[in-house]
Amino acid sequence: MKTPLTYGVFLALASCLLTLVLYFGGFHSDSTKFHTAELIGNIANPILSIIFICLAMRTARQERPLGEPYGYGSALGTGVLTALTGALIIAIFGVIYSKFINPNFVDVLIESKVAQMQAQGKPQQMIDGAEKFMHMMFNPAVQLLVGIIFGTVFGTIISLIAAIFFRRKTTDLPPEAPLAA
């Protein structure tokens, strides 16, 4: 239980650090730069999730005695708990970030999305509706709930795949010593 929590915290710290680097780099303050920050986040965050979920599975497998199996279910459980821990912390940080650290973040994000829609030639009525929806979705309670759900679901998908590679099948175990008569 300690391993998934540890790596979940590491996952969250890496993701939060990335957010702060982008913030201090000015990518979260200007809607013209926001697209770049979004691209960086969309590439880096899944990679961070894969790395820390795999590290958690590997460490949990190594912590088990060699004669004891570490099956698919054990590996999957480790990955899901790691993802859940990371998602909880990241979602809480996201609310704190958008409320206290960068209170203009939601406005910059919405401004960037509206500019994208205008550049695509979307009708103004559609843009206005999307803008209202985005304001509703970035309510702190909704942001927290959606962050936890999406982070856990995405981490579970990663875990479903990674567990195949990190399980220790019973056929991989060393043969037991013959019983003495």
Side-chain angles (χ1 to χ4, degrees):
M1 185 68 156
K2 185 180 102 176
T3 299
L5 295 177
T6 302
Y7 283 96
V9 169
F10 289 156
L11 167 60
L13 288 175
S15 180
C16 295
L17 181 63
L18 175 64
T19 299
L20 291 173
V21 165
L22 292 171
Y23 169 67
F24 288 119
F27 291 96
H28 287 177
S29 306
D30 182 2
S31 64
T32 58
K33 291 181 178 180
F34 187 80
H35 180 70
T36 304
E38 191 174 39
L39 184 63
I40 292 168
N42 288 342
I43 293 170
N45 282 318
I47 291 171
L48 291 172
S49 294
I50 291 167
I51 289 169
F52 286 106
I53 287 171
C54 289
L55 286 173
M57 287 180 185
R58 186 186 73 178
T59 302
R61 183 181 65 194
Q62 289 173 342
E63 289 172 347
R64 289 263 175 103
L66 194 55
E68 190 176 316
Y70 182 73
Y72 182 83
S74 297
L76 178 62
T78 299
V80 170
L81 284 174
T82 302
L84 177 62
T85 302
L88 282 167
I89 296 169
I90 291 167
I92 292 168
F93 174 78
V95 171
I96 292 169
Y97 177 77
S98 64
K99 284 298 259 182
F100 303 109
I101 298 172
N102 186 3
N104 297 325
F105 177 71
V106 172
D107 295 330
V108 171
L109 183 140
I110 292 172
E111 186 180 318
S112 171
K113 294 298 180 189
V114 166
Q116 269 182 331
M117 292 174 79
Q118 288 171 340
Q120 294 171 351
K122 304 277 184 188
Q124 189 59 42
Q125 184 178 0
M126 181 186 235
I127 293 171
D128 292 341
E131 191 172 356
K132 286 179 188 174
F133 179 75
M134 285 186 277
H135 277 291
M136 179 191 74
M137 288 302 293
F138 288 105
N139 168 318
V142 174
Q143 185 181 358
L144 184 67
L145 185 63
V146 169
I148 293 168
I149 291 170
F150 278 119
T152 304
V153 168
F154 183 73
T156 299
I157 293 168
I158 292 169
S159 300
L160 285 165
I161 297 166
I164 294 168
F165 302 102
F166 286 95
R167 68 183 180 206
R168 184 187 304 142
K169 298 179 250 174
T170 53
T171 57
D172 296 341
L173 299 177
E176 292 188 34
L179 297 173

